[in-house]
Coordinates of all heavy atoms in Angstrom, one line a residue:
I165 N -19.2 34.2 -139.4 CA -18.0 34.9 -139.7 C -18.0 35.2 -141.2 O -18.1 34.3 -142.0 CB -16.8 34.1 -139.2 CG1 -16.9 33.7 -137.8 CG2 -15.5 34.8 -139.5 CD1 -15.9 32.7 -137.3
Y166 N -17.7 36.4 -141.5 CA -17.7 36.7 -142.9 C -16.8 37.9 -143.2 O -16.4 38.6 -142.3 CB -19.1 37.1 -143.4 CG -19.7 38.3 -142.9 CD1 -19.6 39.5 -143.6 CD2 -20.3 38.4 -141.6 CE1 -20.0 40.7 -143.0 CE2 -20.7 39.6 -141.1 CZ -20.6 40.7 -141.8 OH -21.0 41.9 -141.2
D167 N -16.5 38.1 -144.5 CA -15.7 39.2 -144.9 C -16.6 40.1 -145.7 O -17.6 39.6 -146.3 CB -14.5 38.7 -145.8 CG -13.5 39.8 -146.0 OD1 -13.5 40.8 -145.3 OD2 -12.6 39.6 -146.9
K168 N -16.4 41.4 -145.7 CA -17.2 42.3 -146.5 C -17.4 41.8 -147.9 O -16.4 41.4 -148.5 CB -16.6 43.7 -146.4 CG -17.5 44.7 -147.1 CD -16.8 46.1 -147.0 CE -17.7 47.1 -147.7 NZ -17.1 48.5 -147.7
Y169 N -18.6 41.9 -148.5 CA -18.9 41.5 -149.8 C -18.1 42.4 -150.8 O -18.3 43.6 -150.8 CB -20.4 41.5 -150.1 CG -20.7 41.0 -151.5 CD1 -20.6 39.7 -151.8 CD2 -21.1 41.9 -152.5 CE1 -20.9 39.2 -153.1 CE2 -21.5 41.5 -153.7 CZ -21.4 40.1 -154.0 OH -21.7 39.7 -155.3
K170 N -17.3 41.7 -151.6 CA -16.5 42.5 -152.6 C -16.8 42.0 -154.0 O -16.0 42.2 -154.9 CB -15.0 42.4 -152.3 CG -14.7 43.0 -151.0 CD -13.2 42.7 -150.6 CE -12.9 43.1 -149.2 NZ -11.6 42.6 -148.8
G171 N -17.9 41.3 -154.2 CA -18.2 40.7 -155.5 C -18.2 39.2 -155.4 O -17.5 38.6 -154.6
F172 N -18.9 38.5 -156.4 CA -19.0 37.1 -156.3 C -17.7 36.3 -156.4 O -17.5 35.3 -155.8 CB -20.0 36.6 -157.5 CG -20.4 35.2 -157.3 CD1 -21.3 34.8 -156.4 CD2 -19.9 34.2 -158.1 CE1 -21.7 33.5 -156.2 CE2 -20.3 32.9 -158.0 CZ -21.2 32.6 -157.0
G173 N -16.7 36.9 -157.1 CA -15.4 36.2 -157.3 C -14.5 36.4 -156.1 O -13.4 35.9 -156.1
N174 N -15.0 37.1 -155.1 CA -14.2 37.4 -153.9 C -14.9 37.0 -152.6 O -14.7 37.6 -151.6 CB -13.8 38.9 -153.8 CG -12.9 39.3 -154.9 OD1 -11.9 38.7 -155.2 ND2 -13.3 40.3 -155.7
L175 N -15.6 35.9 -152.6 CA -16.4 35.4 -151.5 C -15.4 34.8 -150.4 O -14.5 34.1 -150.7 CB -17.4 34.4 -151.9 CG -18.5 34.9 -152.8 CD1 -19.4 33.8 -153.2 CD2 -19.3 36.0 -152.2
K176 N -15.7 35.2 -149.2 CA -15.0 34.6 -148.0 C -16.0 34.5 -146.9 O -16.7 35.5 -146.6 CB -13.8 35.4 -147.6 CG -12.7 35.4 -148.7 CD -11.5 36.2 -148.2 CE -10.3 36.1 -149.2 NZ -10.6 36.5 -150.5
G177 N -16.0 33.4 -146.2 CA -16.9 33.3 -145.0 C -16.7 32.0 -144.4 O -16.2 31.0 -144.9
M178 N -17.2 31.9 -143.1 CA -17.2 30.6 -142.4 C -18.4 30.5 -141.6 O -19.0 31.4 -141.0 CB -16.0 30.6 -141.4 CG -15.8 29.4 -140.6 SD -14.5 29.4 -139.4 CE -13.1 29.6 -140.5
Q179 N -19.0 29.2 -141.6 CA -20.2 28.9 -140.8 C -19.8 27.8 -139.9 O -19.3 26.7 -140.3 CB -21.3 28.5 -141.8 CG -22.6 28.2 -141.0 CD -23.7 27.8 -142.0 OE1 -23.5 27.3 -143.1 NE2 -24.9 28.1 -141.6
V180 N -20.0 28.0 -138.6 CA -19.8 27.0 -137.6 C -21.1 26.5 -137.0 O -21.9 27.4 -136.5 CB -18.9 27.5 -136.5 CG1 -18.6 26.4 -135.5 CG2 -17.5 28.0 -137.1
T181 N -21.4 25.2 -137.1 CA -22.6 24.7 -136.4 C -22.2 23.7 -135.4 O -21.2 23.1 -135.5 CB -23.6 24.1 -137.5 OG1 -22.8 23.0 -138.2 CG2 -24.1 25.1 -138.5
G182 N -23.0 23.7 -134.3 CA -22.6 22.7 -133.3 C -23.6 22.9 -132.1 O -24.7 23.3 -132.2
V183 N -23.1 22.6 -130.9 CA -23.8 22.6 -129.7 C -23.4 23.8 -128.9 O -22.2 24.0 -128.6 CB -23.6 21.3 -128.9 CG1 -24.4 21.4 -127.6 CG2 -24.1 20.1 -129.6
A184 N -24.4 24.7 -128.6 CA -24.1 26.0 -127.9 C -24.5 25.8 -126.4 O -25.5 25.1 -126.1 CB -24.8 27.1 -128.5
D185 N -23.7 26.4 -125.6 CA -23.9 26.4 -124.1 C -23.6 27.7 -123.5 O -22.5 28.3 -123.8 CB -23.1 25.3 -123.5 CG -23.5 25.0 -122.1 OD1 -24.6 25.3 -121.7 OD2 -22.6 24.4 -121.3
V186 N -24.5 28.3 -122.8 CA -24.2 29.5 -122.1 C -23.5 29.2 -120.8 O -24.0 28.4 -120.0 CB -25.6 30.3 -121.8 CG1 -25.3 31.6 -121.0 CG2 -26.3 30.6 -123.1
I187 N -22.3 29.8 -120.6 CA -21.5 29.6 -119.4 C -22.1 30.5 -118.3 O -22.3 31.7 -118.5 CB -20.0 30.0 -119.7 CG1 -19.5 29.2 -120.9 CG2 -19.2 29.8 -118.5 CD1 -19.6 27.7 -120.8
E188 N -22.3 29.9 -117.2 CA -22.8 30.6 -116.0 C -21.9 31.7 -115.6 O -20.7 31.6 -115.4 CB -23.0 29.6 -114.8 CG -23.6 30.2 -113.6 CD -25.1 30.6 -113.8 OE1 -25.8 29.9 -114.5 OE2 -25.5 31.5 -113.1
P189 N -22.5 33.0 -115.6 CA -21.7 34.1 -115.2 C -21.0 33.9 -113.8 O -21.6 33.4 -112.9 CB -22.7 35.3 -115.1 CG -23.8 34.9 -116.0 CD -23.9 33.4 -115.9
F190 N -19.7 34.2 -113.8 CA -18.9 34.2 -112.6 C -18.6 32.8 -112.1 O -18.1 32.6 -111.0 CB -19.4 35.1 -111.5 CG -19.6 36.5 -112.1 CD1 -20.8 37.0 -112.3 CD2 -18.5 37.3 -112.5 CE1 -21.0 38.3 -112.8 CE2 -18.6 38.5 -113.0 CZ -19.9 39.0 -113.2
S191 N -18.9 31.7 -112.9 CA -18.5 30.4 -112.6 C -17.0 30.3 -112.8 O -16.3 31.2 -113.3 CB -19.2 29.4 -113.5 OG -18.8 29.5 -114.9
N192 N -16.4 29.2 -112.4 CA -14.9 29.0 -112.5 C -14.5 29.1 -114.0 O -13.5 29.7 -114.3 CB -14.5 27.7 -112.0 CG -14.5 27.6 -110.4 OD1 -14.5 28.7 -109.8 ND2 -14.6 26.5 -109.9
E193 N -15.3 28.5 -114.9 CA -15.0 28.6 -116.3 C -15.1 30.0 -116.8 O -14.3 30.4 -117.6 CB -16.0 27.6 -117.1 CG -15.6 27.5 -118.6 CD -16.5 26.5 -119.3 OE1 -17.5 26.0 -118.8 OE2 -16.1 26.2 -120.4
Y194 N -16.1 30.7 -116.5 CA -16.3 32.1 -116.9 C -15.1 33.0 -116.4 O -14.6 33.7 -117.2 CB -17.6 32.6 -116.2 CG -18.1 34.0 -116.7 CD1 -19.1 34.1 -117.7 CD2 -17.7 35.1 -116.0 CE1 -19.5 35.3 -118.0 CE2 -18.1 36.4 -116.4 CZ -19.1 36.5 -117.4 OH -19.5 37.7 -117.8
I195 N -14.8 32.8 -115.2 CA -13.6 33.6 -114.7 C -12.3 33.2 -115.3 O -11.5 34.1 -115.7 CB -13.5 33.4 -113.1 CG1 -14.7 34.1 -112.5 CG2 -12.2 34.0 -112.6 CD1 -14.9 33.8 -111.0
S196 N -12.1 32.0 -115.6 CA -10.9 31.5 -116.3 C -10.8 32.1 -117.7 O -9.7 32.5 -118.1 CB -11.0 30.0 -116.3 OG -10.0 29.5 -117.2
I197 N -11.9 32.2 -118.4 CA -11.9 32.7 -119.7 C -11.7 34.2 -119.7 O -10.9 34.8 -120.5 CB -13.1 32.3 -120.5 CG1 -13.1 30.8 -120.8 CG2 -13.3 33.1 -121.8 CD1 -14.4 30.2 -121.2
A198 N -12.3 34.9 -118.8 CA -12.1 36.3 -118.6 C -10.7 36.6 -118.3 O -10.1 37.6 -118.9 CB -13.0 36.9 -117.5
E199 N -10.1 35.9 -117.4 CA -8.6 36.1 -117.1 C -7.8 35.8 -118.4 O -6.8 36.6 -118.6 CB -8.2 35.2 -116.0 CG -8.8 35.6 -114.6 CD -8.6 34.6 -113.5 OE1 -8.2 33.5 -113.8 OE2 -8.8 35.0 -112.4
F200 N -8.1 34.8 -119.1 CA -7.3 34.5 -120.3 C -7.4 35.7 -121.3 O -6.4 36.0 -122.0 CB -7.8 33.2 -121.0 CG -7.2 32.9 -122.3 CD1 -5.9 32.3 -122.3 CD2 -7.8 33.1 -123.5 CE1 -5.3 32.0 -123.5 CE2 -7.2 32.8 -124.7 CZ -6.0 32.3 -124.7
K201 N -8.6 36.3 -121.4 CA -8.8 37.4 -122.3 C -8.4 38.8 -121.7 O -8.5 39.8 -122.3 CB -10.3 37.5 -122.7 CG -10.8 36.3 -123.5 CD -10.1 36.1 -124.8 CE -11.0 36.6 -125.9 NZ -10.4 36.6 -127.2
K202 N -7.8 38.7 -120.5 CA -7.3 39.9 -119.8 C -8.4 40.9 -119.5 O -8.2 42.1 -119.6 CB -6.1 40.5 -120.5 CG -5.0 39.5 -120.6 CD -3.7 40.2 -121.1 CE -2.5 39.3 -121.3 NZ -2.5 38.0 -120.9
I203 N -9.6 40.4 -119.2 CA -10.8 41.2 -118.8 C -10.9 41.2 -117.3 O -11.1 40.1 -116.7 CB -12.1 40.7 -119.4 CG1 -12.0 40.7 -121.0 CG2 -13.3 41.6 -119.0 CD1 -13.1 40.0 -121.6
P204 N -10.7 42.3 -116.6 CA -10.7 42.4 -115.2 C -12.1 41.9 -114.6 O -13.1 42.4 -115.0 CB -10.5 43.8 -114.8 CG -9.9 44.4 -116.1 CD -10.5 43.7 -117.2
I205 N -12.1 40.9 -113.7 CA -13.3 40.4 -113.1 C -14.0 41.5 -112.3 O -15.2 41.5 -112.4 CB -12.9 39.2 -112.2 CG1 -12.2 38.1 -112.9 CG2 -14.2 38.7 -111.5 CD1 -12.9 37.5 -114.1
D206 N -13.3 42.3 -111.6 CA -13.9 43.4 -110.9 C -14.8 44.3 -111.8 O -15.9 44.7 -111.4 CB -12.9 44.3 -110.2 CG -12.2 43.5 -109.0 OD1 -12.8 42.5 -108.6 OD2 -11.1 43.9 -108.6
M207 N -14.3 44.6 -113.0 CA -15.0 45.4 -113.9 C -16.3 44.7 -114.4 O -17.3 45.3 -114.5 CB -14.1 45.7 -115.2 CG -14.8 46.6 -116.2 SD -14.0 46.7 -117.8 CE -14.4 45.1 -118.5
L208 N -16.2 43.4 -114.6 CA -17.3 42.6 -115.0 C -18.4 42.6 -113.9 O -19.6 42.7 -114.2 CB -16.9 41.2 -115.4 CG -16.1 41.0 -116.6 CD1 -15.6 39.5 -116.8 CD2 -16.9 41.4 -117.9
R209 N -18.0 42.5 -112.7 CA -18.9 42.4 -111.6 C -19.7 43.8 -111.4 O -20.8 43.8 -110.9 CB -18.2 42.1 -110.3 CG -17.7 40.6 -110.3 CD -17.2 40.2 -108.9 NE -16.6 38.9 -108.9 CZ -17.2 37.8 -108.8 NH1 -18.5 37.7 -108.8 NH2 -16.5 36.6 -108.8
K210 N -19.1 44.9 -111.9 CA -19.7 46.2 -111.7 C -20.7 46.5 -112.8 O -21.5 47.5 -112.7 CB -18.6 47.3 -111.7 CG -17.7 47.3 -110.5 CD -16.7 48.3 -110.6 CE -15.7 48.2 -109.4 NZ -14.6 49.1 -109.5
L211 N -20.8 45.7 -113.8 CA -21.7 45.9 -114.9 C -23.2 45.7 -114.4 O -23.4 44.8 -113.6 CB -21.4 45.0 -116.1 CG -20.1 45.2 -116.8 CD1 -19.9 44.1 -117.8 CD2 -20.0 46.6 -117.5
P212 N -24.1 46.4 -115.0 CA -25.5 46.3 -114.5 C -26.1 44.9 -114.9 O -26.9 44.3 -114.2 CB -26.3 47.4 -115.2 CG -25.4 47.9 -116.3 CD -24.0 47.5 -115.9
E213 N -25.6 44.3 -116.0 CA -26.0 43.0 -116.4 C -24.7 42.2 -116.8 O -23.8 42.8 -117.4 CB -26.9 43.0 -117.6 CG -28.2 43.7 -117.4 CD -29.1 42.8 -116.5 OE1 -29.0 41.6 -116.6 OE2 -29.9 43.4 -115.8
P214 N -24.6 41.0 -116.4 CA -23.3 40.2 -116.8 C -23.2 40.1 -118.3 O -24.2 40.0 -119.0 CB -23.5 38.9 -116.1 CG -24.9 38.7 -115.8 CD -25.5 40.1 -115.7
I215 N -22.0 40.0 -118.8 CA -21.7 39.7 -120.2 C -22.0 38.2 -120.4 O -21.4 37.4 -119.7 CB -20.3 40.1 -120.6 CG1 -20.1 41.6 -120.5 CG2 -19.9 39.6 -122.0 CD1 -18.7 42.1 -120.8
N216 N -22.8 37.9 -121.4 CA -23.0 36.5 -121.7 C -21.8 35.9 -122.4 O -21.3 36.5 -123.3 CB -24.3 36.3 -122.5 CG -25.5 36.7 -121.8 OD1 -25.7 36.3 -120.6 ND2 -26.4 37.4 -122.4
L217 N -21.5 34.7 -122.0 CA -20.4 33.9 -122.7 C -21.0 32.7 -123.2 O -21.6 31.9 -122.5 CB -19.3 33.6 -121.7 CG -18.2 32.7 -122.1 CD1 -17.4 33.4 -123.3 CD2 -17.2 32.5 -121.0
I218 N -20.9 32.5 -124.5 CA -21.5 31.3 -125.2 C -20.4 30.5 -125.7 O -19.5 30.9 -126.5 CB -22.5 31.7 -126.3 CG1 -23.6 32.6 -125.8 CG2 -23.0 30.5 -127.0 CD1 -24.4 33.3 -126.8
K219 N -20.4 29.2 -125.3 CA -19.4 28.3 -125.8 C -20.0 27.4 -126.9 O -21.1 26.9 -126.7 CB -18.9 27.4 -124.6 CG -17.9 26.3 -125.1 CD -17.3 25.5 -123.9 CE -18.3 24.8 -123.1 NZ -17.7 24.0 -122.0
I220 N -19.3 27.3 -128.0 CA -19.9 26.4 -129.1 C -18.9 25.3 -129.3 O -17.7 25.5 -129.5 CB -20.0 27.2 -130.4 CG1 -21.0 28.3 -130.2 CG2 -20.5 26.3 -131.5 CD1 -21.1 29.3 -131.3
I221 N -19.4 24.1 -129.2 CA -18.6 22.9 -129.5 C -19.0 22.5 -130.9 O -20.1 22.1 -131.2 CB -19.0 21.7 -128.5 CG1 -18.6 22.1 -127.1 CG2 -18.2 20.4 -129.0 CD1 -19.1 21.1 -126.1
P222 N -18.0 22.8 -131.9 CA -18.4 22.6 -133.3 C -18.6 21.2 -133.7 O -18.0 20.3 -133.2 CB -17.1 23.2 -134.0 CG -16.0 23.2 -133.0 CD -16.6 23.2 -131.6
K223 N -19.6 21.0 -134.5 CA -19.9 19.7 -135.2 C -19.6 19.8 -136.6 O -19.2 18.8 -137.2 CB -21.4 19.4 -135.0 CG -21.8 19.2 -133.6 CD -21.2 18.0 -132.9 CE -21.6 17.8 -131.5 NZ -20.9 16.8 -130.8
R224 N -19.7 21.0 -137.2 CA -19.4 21.1 -138.7 C -18.9 22.6 -138.9 O -19.5 23.5 -138.4 CB -20.6 20.8 -139.5 CG -20.4 21.0 -141.0 CD -21.7 20.6 -141.7 NE -21.7 21.0 -143.1 CZ -21.2 20.2 -144.1 NH1 -20.7 19.1 -143.8 NH2 -21.3 20.7 -145.3
I225 N -17.8 22.7 -139.7 CA -17.4 24.0 -140.1 C -17.3 24.0 -141.6 O -16.7 23.1 -142.2 CB -16.0 24.3 -139.5 CG1 -16.0 24.3 -138.0 CG2 -15.4 25.6 -140.0 CD1 -14.7 24.5 -137.3
V226 N -17.9 25.0 -142.2 CA -17.9 25.2 -143.7 C -17.2 26.5 -143.9 O -17.5 27.6 -143.4 CB -19.3 25.2 -144.3 CG1 -19.2 25.5 -145.8 CG2 -20.0 23.9 -144.0
Y227 N -16.1 26.5 -144.7 CA -15.3 27.7 -145.1 C -15.4 27.9 -146.5 O -15.3 27.0 -147.4 CB -13.8 27.4 -144.7 CG -13.0 28.6 -144.9 CD1 -13.2 29.9 -144.3 CD2 -11.9 28.6 -145.7 CE1 -12.4 31.0 -144.5 CE2 -11.0 29.6 -146.0 CZ -11.3 30.8 -145.4 OH -10.5 31.9 -145.6
L228 N -15.7 29.2 -146.9 CA -15.9 29.6 -148.3 C -14.8 30.6 -148.6 O -14.7 31.6 -147.9 CB -17.3 30.2 -148.5 CG -17.6 30.7 -149.9 CD1 -17.6 29.5 -150.9 CD2 -18.9 31.4 -149.9
N229 N -14.0 30.3 -149.6 CA -13.0 31.3 -150.1 C -12.8 31.1 -151.6 O -12.3 30.1 -152.0 CB -11.7 31.0 -149.3 CG -10.6 32.0 -149.6 OD1 -10.6 32.7 -150.6 ND2 -9.7 32.1 -148.6
S230 N -13.2 32.1 -152.3 CA -13.1 32.1 -153.8 C -11.6 31.9 -154.2 O -11.4 31.4 -155.3 CB -13.7 33.4 -154.4 OG -15.0 33.5 -154.1
D231 N -10.7 32.4 -153.4 CA -9.2 32.3 -153.8 C -8.8 30.8 -154.0 O -7.8 30.6 -154.7 CB -8.3 33.0 -152.8 CG -8.5 34.5 -152.8 OD1 -9.1 35.0 -153.8 OD2 -8.2 35.1 -151.8
F232 N -9.5 29.9 -153.3 CA -9.1 28.5 -153.5 C -9.1 28.0 -154.9 O -8.4 27.1 -155.3 CB -9.9 27.6 -152.6 CG -9.7 27.7 -151.1 CD1 -10.6 27.2 -150.2 CD2 -8.5 28.3 -150.6 CE1 -10.4 27.3 -148.8 CE2 -8.3 28.4 -149.2 CZ -9.3 27.9 -148.3
Q233 N -10.1 28.5 -155.7 CA -10.2 28.1 -157.1 C -9.0 28.4 -157.9 O -8.7 27.7 -158.8 CB -11.5 28.7 -157.7 CG -12.7 28.2 -157.1 CD -14.0 28.8 -157.8 OE1 -14.0 29.9 -158.1 NE2 -15.0 28.0 -157.9
K234 N -8.3 29.4 -157.5 CA -7.0 29.8 -158.3 C -6.0 28.7 -158.1 O -5.1 28.6 -159.0 CB -6.5 31.1 -157.8 CG -7.4 32.3 -158.0 CD -6.9 33.6 -157.3 CE -8.0 34.7 -157.4 NZ -7.6 35.8 -156.6
E235 N -6.1 27.9 -157.0 CA -5.1 26.9 -156.8 C -5.7 25.5 -157.1 O -5.1 24.5 -156.8 CB -4.7 26.9 -155.3 CG -4.0 28.3 -155.0 CD -3.5 28.3 -153.6 OE1 -3.1 27.3 -153.0 OE2 -3.5 29.4 -153.0
G236 N -6.8 25.5 -157.8 CA -7.4 24.2 -158.2 C -8.3 23.5 -157.2 O -8.6 22.3 -157.4
F237 N -8.6 24.1 -156.2 CA -9.5 23.5 -155.1 C -10.9 24.1 -155.2 O -11.1 25.2 -155.7 CB -8.9 23.7 -153.7 CG -7.5 23.2 -153.6 CD1 -6.4 24.0 -153.6 CD2 -7.3 21.8 -153.4 CE1 -5.1 23.5 -153.4 CE2 -6.0 21.3 -153.2 CZ -4.9 22.2 -153.3
A238 N -11.8 23.4 -154.6 CA -13.2 23.9 -154.5 C -13.2 25.1 -153.6 O -12.5 25.1 -152.6 CB -14.1 22.8 -154.0
S239 N -14.0 26.0 -153.9 CA -14.1 27.2 -153.0 C -14.8 27.0 -151.7 O -14.5 27.7 -150.7 CB -14.9 28.4 -153.8 OG -16.2 27.9 -154.1
R240 N -15.5 25.9 -151.6 CA -16.2 25.5 -150.3 C -15.5 24.3 -149.8 O -15.4 23.3 -150.4 CB -17.7 25.2 -150.6 CG -18.5 24.9 -149.3 CD -19.9 24.6 -149.6 NE -20.6 25.7 -150.4 CZ -21.2 26.7 -149.8 NH1 -21.3 26.8 -148.5 NH2 -21.8 27.6 -150.6
Q241 N -15.0 24.5 -148.5 CA -14.4 23.4 -147.8 C -15.1 23.1 -146.5 O -15.6 24.1 -145.9 CB -12.9 23.7 -147.5 CG -12.0 24.0 -148.7 CD -11.8 22.8 -149.5 OE1 -11.5 21.7 -149.0 NE2 -11.8 22.9 -150.8
A242 N -15.3 21.9 -146.2 CA -16.0 21.5 -144.9 C -15.3 20.4 -144.1 O -14.6 19.6 -144.7 CB -17.4 21.1 -145.3
I243 N -15.5 20.5 -142.8 CA -15.0 19.5 -142.0 C -16.1 19.2 -140.9 O -16.8 20.1 -140.5 CB -13.7 19.9 -141.2 CG1 -13.1 18.8 -140.4 CG2 -13.9 21.1 -140.4 CD1 -11.7 19.0 -139.9
E244 N -16.3 17.9 -140.6 CA -17.2 17.5 -139.7 C -16.5 16.8 -138.5 O -15.6 16.0 -138.7 CB -18.3 16.5 -140.3 CG -19.1 17.2 -141.3 CD -20.4 16.5 -141.7 OE1 -20.9 15.7 -140.8 OE2 -20.8 16.6 -142.8
F245 N -17.0 17.0 -137.3 CA -16.4 16.4 -136.1 C -17.4 15.4 -135.6 O -18.6 15.7 -135.4 CB -16.1 17.5 -135.0 CG -15.2 18.6 -135.5 CD1 -15.7 19.8 -136.1 CD2 -13.8 18.5 -135.5 CE1 -14.9 20.8 -136.6 CE2 -13.0 19.5 -135.9 CZ -13.5 20.6 -136.5
Y246 N -16.9 14.3 -135.2 CA -17.8 13.2 -134.7 C -17.6 13.0 -133.2 O -16.6 13.2 -132.7 CB -17.6 11.9 -135.5 CG -18.0 12.1 -137.0 CD1 -17.0 12.4 -137.9 CD2 -19.3 12.0 -137.4 CE1 -17.3 12.5 -139.2 CE2 -19.6 12.2 -138.7 CZ -18.6 12.4 -139.6 OH -18.9 12.6 -140.9

């Protein structure tokens, strides 16, 4: 996830690392998420190939925002999940 590069003093971005899992097309979880996103299941079933849904369970998130330095914080912030 990133924002368009506007110069070194305006950096913004996020990196998420973790465990990725492909959700089986048309499983209960797949249908539940499609319904939540208001994507019609009938439309998905008519596609020549199913839309892949990848679930990421984050282990670490690093967020970069140059604006944090204006408030006295480090521009790079990280959180780890155990």
Side-chain angles (χ1 to χ4, degrees):
I165 302 171
Y166 68 95
D167 194 13
K168 184 178 177 182
Y169 181 73
K170 298 175 189 168
F172 191 73
N174 294 308
L175 296 175
K176 292 181 176 60
M178 181 182 298
Q179 181 179 28
V180 179
T181 55
V183 178
D185 189 21
V186 178
I187 304 303
E188 182 68 30
F190 307 108
S191 65
N192 289 338
E193 185 175 13
Y194 187 96
I195 291 170
S196 167
I197 292 167
E199 289 172 346
F200 176 78
K201 299 294 262 174
K202 299 187 181 353
I203 301 170
I205 302 301
D206 292 340
M207 183 194 75
L208 291 174
R209 290 189 190 278
K210 291 178 184 176
L211 295 173
E213 296 290 328
I215 292 177
N216 290 316
L217 174 62
I218 301 171
K219 174 172 65 174
I220 300 173
I221 299 171
K223 296 293 181 186
R224 179 177 168 86
I225 299 174
V226 178
Y227 182 59
L228 178 65
N229 187 335
S230 298
D231 293 341
F232 289 164
Q233 289 182 327
K234 297 173 188 172
E235 297 182 34
F237 301 103
S239 59
R240 182 180 305 269
Q241 300 290 319
I243 184 169
E244 294 197 29
F245 303 94
Y246 298 97

